[in-house]
Amino acid sequence: MQPRASVIGLGHVGLSAATCFAHKGTHVIGLDKDQVKLDTVRKGKLPFYEQELGPMLQECLKNGTIEFTSDYKDAVEDTNLTFVCVSTPSINEQNEVDLSYVKEVLKSILAAAESKEEYHLIVLQSTVPPGTTDTILEPLISQNSKKRLGKDIGLCVSPEFLREGRAVEDTRHPDRLIIGSYNELDANTLVDFYKKIYRDDLPPLLLTNSVNAEMIKYANNAFLATKISFINSIANLCERLRGADVNIVARGIGFDKRIGEQFLNAGLGFGGSCLPKDLRGIISVSYKLGYDNDLLGTIYKVNELRADRVIELIKSFVQELKGKRIAVLGLAFKPNTDDIREAVSLRIISKLRKEDASVVVYDPEAMENAKSVLGKDDDVKYARNSLEAIKDADCAIIVTEWDEFKKITPEIFNREMREPILIDGRRIYDPSVYSKSLKFTAIGLGT
Ligand code: UGA
């Protein structure tokens, strides 16, 4: 029989997992305490931008394989497993991770499972610092439930690796599945569940303990961040070398199978709700364990300096930014999302405003989110499209590599802008074409 699953927390991870599991035929109950979110998803709409997920959700609602609730009894009593997908934000100066949502959810699951006779498995997908399950969550279960851990109630760590904007593809076809649990019953229950979900498409499965599973998630994101900061440091070097181009260098090293071609796009660095937060998290964990992780600290610092590099590049054309009209094309932390959390655009805008520049912004999806952060400040103007953004601008910066920006030709920049200076922060334009008629520069491009 197909197991029934519930998913707690309907953010990117939770809603994608819930929908993909339901699409594979498992009956899924999604739970969130946010009523507005519940109303939205019940109508088959998404609370965030994620291509492909909407139609899949509508299909599942139509087939009746997915339902939504805010009641833990509904989510636990009638299901075999519960996936916990709530967020674990950074909280303080030390960048400790806030486990309060995870703890609150665990207690609610335990209360709802108390009267249940059958075994129930809790699967932790939220990102938590290594050691959390052993030292905090297992004791929490023992203290808050009469059930025997590993017999009546189970707990596994199974981190997710999906990317925003590619959530459906990544959830349906993960590179691997990680299961962290010492307990055979817990691990086997989750292995069986994944086998039923992925059938012939089952990816490599790594069974380990919970601390390794937690560490794998942190190390994975830290490694991705390392690749990005590494190539950006090479970009900084290329910019100082006549004829050098970081894109060619990245291609050349990417052919080496030991390095690989992915995540070597030089640009304005990494943002979003995961890479910066998890990097701070692992640095903080290292520090607490008595290890000053210089390498990861530097990777973080290289990323922090990307916004300054943009300002330096503009200043290589104009000395004074005061009164200049600067068009910022792209606000989302990457294309195909409306997410602006820790987006480099925000840091660039803040620096431009400090220099008294007049800033016009445009993003195909993130305008509403941007308005809620940047506000109705007179110094920031919101354009309705990219042409309106660049109209009469002295300089335009490509901050996010949306496809529609790739279609803006040098002729259009020349026609619309006052002083056509173009800074390609994401390497979307061919320098040999764009530098012919524009004052053009790009990240990682030598003089
Ligand atoms: C990241 C990881 O890629 C996922 O595997 C992980 O599951 C997720 O965090 C998480 O922990 O939940 P995501 O934050 O959606 O996913 O975004 P990425 O696609 O990793 O991009 C992160 C940032 O790096 C973006 O700002 C992007 O523009 C930048 N980036 C990426 C580069 O500057 N260069 C690259 O070559 C690749």
Side-chain angles (χ1 to χ4, degrees), residues 13 127 160-164 217 220-221 224 228 232 262-275 278 333-335 401 426:
V13 174
T127 304
E160 54 67 37
F161 301 95
L162 71 84
R163 292 161 292 179
E164 282 186 26
K217 170 69 189 189
N220 208 90
N221 274 353
L224 294 174
I228 299 168
N232 284 336
Q262 291 191 43
F263 267 67
L264 286 180
N265 297 321
L268 302 180
F270 53 85
S273 63
C274 304
L275 260 48
D278 290 353
F333 82 96
K334 64 174 187 177
E401 63 275 35
R426 296 286 180 180

Side-chain angles (χ1 to χ4, degrees), residues 405-421:
F405 301 153
K406 296 177 186 165
K407 294 178 194 138
I408 313 177
T409 59
E411 293 70 38
I412 298 174
F413 280 116
N414 265 318
R415 192 185 67 215
E416 301 295 331
M417 290 174 70
R418 188 158 45 200
E419 179 88 29
I421 299 171

Side-chain angles (χ1 to χ4, degrees), residues 15 29 36 43 49 58 68 92 98 101 134 136 161 205 231 236 249 256 294 336 346 384 386 391-392 420 445:
L15 190 57
I29 303 178
V36 179
K43 284 183 209 140
Y49 178 83
Q58 286 148 24
F68 296 103
N92 49 27
D98 181 359
Y101 301 127
D134 283 350
I136 301 175
F161 301 95
L205 221 152
I231 202 66
N236 287 343
V249 176
D256 188 325
D294 288 345
N336 301 320
L346 302 178
R384 281 168 298 184
S386 42
K391 183 129 198 79
D392 295 332
L445 199 60

